[in-house]
PDB file of all heavy atoms in Angstrom:
ATOM      1  N   PRO A 304      91.966  92.945 116.803  1.00  0.00           N
ATOM      2  CA  PRO A 304      91.368  93.741 117.863  1.00  0.00           C
ATOM      3  C   PRO A 304      90.862  95.119 117.597  1.00  0.00           C
ATOM      4  O   PRO A 304      90.379  95.804 118.503  1.00  0.00           O
ATOM      5  CB  PRO A 304      92.687  93.859 118.744  1.00  0.00           C
ATOM      6  CG  PRO A 304      93.843  93.865 117.907  1.00  0.00           C
ATOM      7  CD  PRO A 304      93.573  92.974 116.698  1.00  0.00           C
ATOM      8  N   VAL A 305      90.942  95.661 116.271  1.00  0.00           N
ATOM      9  CA  VAL A 305      90.295  96.860 116.058  1.00  0.00           C
ATOM     10  C   VAL A 305      88.746  96.971 116.151  1.00  0.00           C
ATOM     11  O   VAL A 305      88.168  96.195 115.446  1.00  0.00           O
ATOM     12  CB  VAL A 305      90.808  97.462 114.665  1.00  0.00           C
ATOM     13  CG1 VAL A 305      90.245  98.854 114.394  1.00  0.00           C
ATOM     14  CG2 VAL A 305      92.431  97.529 114.690  1.00  0.00           C
ATOM     15  N   ARG A 306      88.267  97.725 116.907  1.00  0.00           N
ATOM     16  CA  ARG A 306      86.787  97.912 117.047  1.00  0.00           C
ATOM     17  C   ARG A 306      86.212  99.163 116.638  1.00  0.00           C
ATOM     18  O   ARG A 306      87.078 100.298 116.660  1.00  0.00           O
ATOM     19  CB  ARG A 306      86.356  97.466 118.531  1.00  0.00           C
ATOM     20  CG  ARG A 306      86.505  95.980 118.813  1.00  0.00           C
ATOM     21  CD  ARG A 306      85.717  95.088 117.861  1.00  0.00           C
ATOM     22  NE  ARG A 306      86.040  93.670 117.897  1.00  0.00           N
ATOM     23  CZ  ARG A 306      86.645  92.955 117.091  1.00  0.00           C
ATOM     24  NH1 ARG A 306      87.280  93.794 116.012  1.00  0.00           N
ATOM     25  NH2 ARG A 306      87.037  91.709 117.161  1.00  0.00           N
ATOM     26  N   SER A 307      85.076  99.315 116.330  1.00  0.00           N
ATOM     27  CA  SER A 307      84.369 100.531 115.880  1.00  0.00           C
ATOM     28  C   SER A 307      84.613 101.797 116.678  1.00  0.00           C
ATOM     29  O   SER A 307      84.088 101.750 117.842  1.00  0.00           O
ATOM     30  CB  SER A 307      82.941 100.273 115.506  1.00  0.00           C
ATOM     31  OG  SER A 307      82.406 101.359 114.677  1.00  0.00           O
ATOM     32  N   VAL A 308      85.127 102.876 116.198  1.00  0.00           N
ATOM     33  CA  VAL A 308      85.248 104.117 116.805  1.00  0.00           C
ATOM     34  C   VAL A 308      84.973 105.187 115.907  1.00  0.00           C
ATOM     35  O   VAL A 308      85.357 105.226 114.778  1.00  0.00           O
ATOM     36  CB  VAL A 308      86.694 104.282 117.514  1.00  0.00           C
ATOM     37  CG1 VAL A 308      86.797 105.618 118.070  1.00  0.00           C
ATOM     38  CG2 VAL A 308      86.977 103.099 118.466  1.00  0.00           C
ATOM     39  N   TRP A 309      84.165 106.289 116.339  1.00  0.00           N
ATOM     40  CA  TRP A 309      84.057 107.483 115.491  1.00  0.00           C
ATOM     41  C   TRP A 309      84.810 108.630 115.982  1.00  0.00           C
ATOM     42  O   TRP A 309      84.742 108.833 117.251  1.00  0.00           O
ATOM     43  CB  TRP A 309      82.498 107.715 115.444  1.00  0.00           C
ATOM     44  CG  TRP A 309      81.701 106.866 114.552  1.00  0.00           C
ATOM     45  CD1 TRP A 309      81.199 105.514 114.949  1.00  0.00           C
ATOM     46  CD2 TRP A 309      81.179 106.992 113.331  1.00  0.00           C
ATOM     47  NE1 TRP A 309      80.550 105.088 113.891  1.00  0.00           N
ATOM     48  CE2 TRP A 309      80.481 105.851 112.884  1.00  0.00           C
ATOM     49  CE3 TRP A 309      81.288 108.101 112.363  1.00  0.00           C
ATOM     50  CZ2 TRP A 309      79.957 105.768 111.723  1.00  0.00           C
ATOM     51  CZ3 TRP A 309      80.734 107.965 111.119  1.00  0.00           C
ATOM     52  CH2 TRP A 309      79.911 106.819 110.791  1.00  0.00           C
ATOM     53  N   LEU A 310      85.284 109.450 115.204  1.00  0.00           N
ATOM     54  CA  LEU A 310      85.929 110.850 115.618  1.00  0.00           C
ATOM     55  C   LEU A 310      84.745 111.786 115.657  1.00  0.00           C
ATOM     56  O   LEU A 310      83.817 111.760 114.660  1.00  0.00           O
ATOM     57  CB  LEU A 310      86.960 111.298 114.681  1.00  0.00           C
ATOM     58  CG  LEU A 310      88.281 110.602 115.000  1.00  0.00           C
ATOM     59  CD1 LEU A 310      89.337 111.313 113.953  1.00  0.00           C
ATOM     60  CD2 LEU A 310      88.745 110.620 116.267  1.00  0.00           C
ATOM     61  N   ASP A 311      84.738 112.726 116.504  1.00  0.00           N
ATOM     62  CA  ASP A 311      83.961 113.898 116.392  1.00  0.00           C
ATOM     63  C   ASP A 311      84.578 115.121 115.550  1.00  0.00           C
ATOM     64  O   ASP A 311      85.715 114.991 115.339  1.00  0.00           O
ATOM     65  CB  ASP A 311      83.529 114.403 117.811  1.00  0.00           C
ATOM     66  CG  ASP A 311      84.582 114.744 118.730  1.00  0.00           C
ATOM     67  OD1 ASP A 311      85.554 115.404 118.203  1.00  0.00           O
ATOM     68  OD2 ASP A 311      84.415 114.861 119.955  1.00  0.00           O
ATOM     69  N   ILE A 312      83.777 116.096 115.249  1.00  0.00           N
ATOM     70  CA  ILE A 312      84.327 117.072 114.445  1.00  0.00           C
ATOM     71  C   ILE A 312      85.552 117.923 114.996  1.00  0.00           C
ATOM     72  O   ILE A 312      86.504 118.196 114.274  1.00  0.00           O
ATOM     73  CB  ILE A 312      83.156 118.073 114.031  1.00  0.00           C
ATOM     74  CG1 ILE A 312      82.077 117.378 113.330  1.00  0.00           C
ATOM     75  CG2 ILE A 312      83.676 119.285 113.060  1.00  0.00           C
ATOM     76  CD1 ILE A 312      82.449 116.623 112.259  1.00  0.00           C
ATOM     77  N   PRO A 313      85.444 118.285 116.293  1.00  0.00           N
ATOM     78  CA  PRO A 313      86.615 118.985 116.873  1.00  0.00           C
ATOM     79  C   PRO A 313      87.894 118.177 116.827  1.00  0.00           C
ATOM     80  O   PRO A 313      89.044 118.567 116.519  1.00  0.00           O
ATOM     81  CB  PRO A 313      86.196 119.143 118.271  1.00  0.00           C
ATOM     82  CG  PRO A 313      84.701 119.268 118.294  1.00  0.00           C
ATOM     83  CD  PRO A 313      84.432 118.234 117.260  1.00  0.00           C
ATOM     84  N   GLU A 314      87.886 116.808 116.964  1.00  0.00           N
ATOM     85  CA  GLU A 314      89.002 115.928 116.755  1.00  0.00           C
ATOM     86  C   GLU A 314      89.387 115.889 115.425  1.00  0.00           C
ATOM     87  O   GLU A 314      90.713 115.865 115.199  1.00  0.00           O
ATOM     88  CB  GLU A 314      88.719 114.590 117.368  1.00  0.00           C
ATOM     89  CG  GLU A 314      88.350 114.357 118.747  1.00  0.00           C
ATOM     90  CD  GLU A 314      87.776 113.037 119.155  1.00  0.00           C
ATOM     91  OE1 GLU A 314      86.928 112.447 118.413  1.00  0.00           O
ATOM     92  OE2 GLU A 314      88.255 112.441 120.273  1.00  0.00           O
ATOM     93  N   LEU A 315      88.585 115.961 114.450  1.00  0.00           N
ATOM     94  CA  LEU A 315      89.003 115.955 113.133  1.00  0.00           C
ATOM     95  C   LEU A 315      89.649 117.254 112.776  1.00  0.00           C
ATOM     96  O   LEU A 315      90.755 117.198 111.997  1.00  0.00           O
ATOM     97  CB  LEU A 315      87.677 115.711 112.288  1.00  0.00           C
ATOM     98  CG  LEU A 315      87.752 115.231 110.851  1.00  0.00           C
ATOM     99  CD1 LEU A 315      88.387 113.951 110.684  1.00  0.00           C
ATOM    100  CD2 LEU A 315      86.424 115.241 110.163  1.00  0.00           C
ATOM    101  N   VAL A 316      89.150 118.303 113.216  1.00  0.00           N
ATOM    102  CA  VAL A 316      89.754 119.530 112.936  1.00  0.00           C
ATOM    103  C   VAL A 316      91.144 119.727 113.579  1.00  0.00           C
ATOM    104  O   VAL A 316      92.158 120.146 113.011  1.00  0.00           O
ATOM    105  CB  VAL A 316      89.032 120.891 113.455  1.00  0.00           C
ATOM    106  CG1 VAL A 316      89.690 122.103 113.332  1.00  0.00           C
ATOM    107  CG2 VAL A 316      87.724 120.865 112.626  1.00  0.00           C
ATOM    108  N   ARG A 317      91.264 119.197 114.780  1.00  0.00           N
ATOM    109  CA  ARG A 317      92.609 119.194 115.435  1.00  0.00           C
ATOM    110  C   ARG A 317      93.551 118.240 114.796  1.00  0.00           C
ATOM    111  O   ARG A 317      94.637 118.634 114.511  1.00  0.00           O
ATOM    112  CB  ARG A 317      92.353 118.503 116.910  1.00  0.00           C
ATOM    113  CG  ARG A 317      93.607 118.650 117.870  1.00  0.00           C
ATOM    114  CD  ARG A 317      93.360 118.576 119.358  1.00  0.00           C
ATOM    115  NE  ARG A 317      92.349 117.491 119.571  1.00  0.00           N
ATOM    116  CZ  ARG A 317      91.159 117.589 119.967  1.00  0.00           C
ATOM    117  NH1 ARG A 317      90.547 118.832 120.081  1.00  0.00           N
ATOM    118  NH2 ARG A 317      90.395 116.658 120.343  1.00  0.00           N
ATOM    119  N   ALA A 318      93.181 117.126 114.247  1.00  0.00           N
ATOM    120  CA  ALA A 318      94.021 116.241 113.459  1.00  0.00           C
ATOM    121  C   ALA A 318      94.505 116.896 112.313  1.00  0.00           C
ATOM    122  O   ALA A 318      95.730 116.892 111.806  1.00  0.00           O
ATOM    123  CB  ALA A 318      93.395 114.892 113.230  1.00  0.00           C
ATOM    124  N   ALA A 319      93.676 117.771 111.684  1.00  0.00           N
ATOM    125  CA  ALA A 319      93.978 118.439 110.359  1.00  0.00           C
ATOM    126  C   ALA A 319      95.003 119.545 110.593  1.00  0.00           C
ATOM    127  O   ALA A 319      96.049 119.753 109.894  1.00  0.00           O
ATOM    128  CB  ALA A 319      92.708 119.109 109.696  1.00  0.00           C
TER     129      ALA A 319
END
Side-chain angles (χ1 to χ4, degrees):
V305 177
R306 290 297 172 257
S307 186
V308 177
W309 287 80
L310 283 186
D311 60 26
I312 301 305
E314 290 173 319
L315 201 59
V316 174
R317 185 160 52 250

